[in-house]
Amino acid sequence: MIIAIDGPAASGKGTLARRVAEAMDYAYLDTGLLYRATGAKVLAENGDPADEAAAVAAAENLSASDLEGEALRSEEVGTAASKVAAIPRVREVLLDFQRTLATTPPGGKRGAVLDGRDIGTVVCPEAPIKFYLTASVEERANRRFKQLQEKNPAAIYERVLKELEERDARDSARDVAPLKMADDAIHIDTDRLNANAVFDAVMAHIHTHMGADD
Ligand code: CDP
């Protein structure tokens, strides 16, 4: 069983996907982390994340330890991630790992939850359950700002908003695997829903789907 959760930056995919995986006892993969780690690796080597050779080399050399650390959560790394993510060869390099985890989840789990931008469209188009989360850019900037402020009291809302807008534009406009809702995804607008309400709605859909399979 594969559950795909896609949506734009700070739409609440990560929190939701983690909770769903826990509730279902499935494996969980935050695919954004792969792009963030690739972008961070290029930055650490003083490279340009938009440079294909540097980005592909970083993606090819990712190791498990590159996927750890709070530094990956910064907006600077998010921006670098969306630059490496627009390079087709980088996406190709990261695809196998994502598909393998989805189809043969580690630890003998019976399923996997993946969150990202292209899970329902490219990584796992065969996933029987797909969700697409959205919220207005102001609401998303507000949520991300609050998260960042907990770690850095000097965070600036206007800057977070601008970075999200730029990242949305880059993620939606790229030629390869752009941010796009799969035709068979369930759309959830989270503007006026808190995290618990989104979780409840998603679990209700999953149970309905599983019930229909019995
Ligand atoms: O957490 P947030 O929604 O801000 O971003 P993320 O999911 O960690 O993704 C960071 C960046 O990686 C995105 O802006 C995308 O450009 C890229 N990404 C992607 O292209 N495809 C995915 N499946 C996941 C992330």
Side-chain angles (χ1 to χ4, degrees):
M1 169 57 69
I2 300 172
I3 300 176
I5 304 183
D6 290 303
S11 53
K13 308 173 301 284
T15 315
L16 172 71
R18 199 170 290 113
R19 281 182 74 181
V20 171
E22 205 175 293
M24 302 293 294
D25 194 26
Y26 285 179
Y28 166 55
L29 180 64
D30 169 1
T31 64
L33 210 50
L34 301 173
Y35 294 94
R36 284 176 177 269
T38 304
K41 216 174 171 62
V42 176
L43 292 179
E45 284 154 14
N46 289 321
D48 173 5
D51 173 41
E52 174 163 2
V56 170
E60 282 173 341
N61 291 306
L62 279 189
S63 61
S65 62
D66 291 324
L67 301 178
E68 284 161 20
E70 268 304 301
L72 293 178
R73 294 283 156 209
S74 75
E75 284 308 295
E76 187 199 3
V77 171
T79 296
S82 83
K83 289 184 180 167
V84 301
I87 301 170
R89 179 77 192 120
V90 167
R91 306 197 69 87
E92 231 175 87
V93 170
L94 299 177
L95 196 56
D96 263 3
F97 178 80
Q98 299 174 69
R99 286 204 173 134
T100 304
L101 185 129
T103 51
T104 46
K109 304 264 187 199
R110 286 173 301 111
V113 182
L114 280 80
D115 84 61
R117 301 290 183 290
D118 61 338
I119 309 305
T121 51
V122 175
V123 179
C124 304
E126 76 286 10
I129 311 184
K130 303 175 182 179
F131 295 99
Y132 191 79
L133 260 53
T134 56
S136 67
V137 70
E138 291 80 13
E139 172 64 22
R140 290 184 287 119
N142 209 8
R143 292 178 192 164
R144 183 54 48 90
F145 172 65
K146 283 185 184 150
Q147 270 175 1
L148 292 174
Q149 218 184 15
E150 282 169 22
K151 286 172 265 170
N152 173 15
I156 300 167
Y157 173 82
E158 282 70 24
R159 189 162 160 198
V160 174
L161 177 66
K162 186 164 167 279
E163 277 167 351
L164 279 191
E165 283 173 339
E166 284 173 6
R167 199 138 65 85
D168 278 357
R170 199 177 300 115
D171 290 350
S172 305
R174 70 183 176 220
D175 292 335
V176 55
L179 170 66
K180 188 167 138 281
M181 181 167 119
D183 292 337
D184 53 348
I186 297 162
H187 178 207
I188 301 181
D189 178 353
T190 71
D191 252 358
R192 270 172 289 279
L193 297 177
N194 66 27
N196 285 338
V198 177
F199 175 72
D200 290 346
V202 159
M203 289 307 291
H205 278 295
I206 294 173
H207 286 132
T208 304
H209 179 93
M210 300 278 208
D213 275 358
D214 286 342

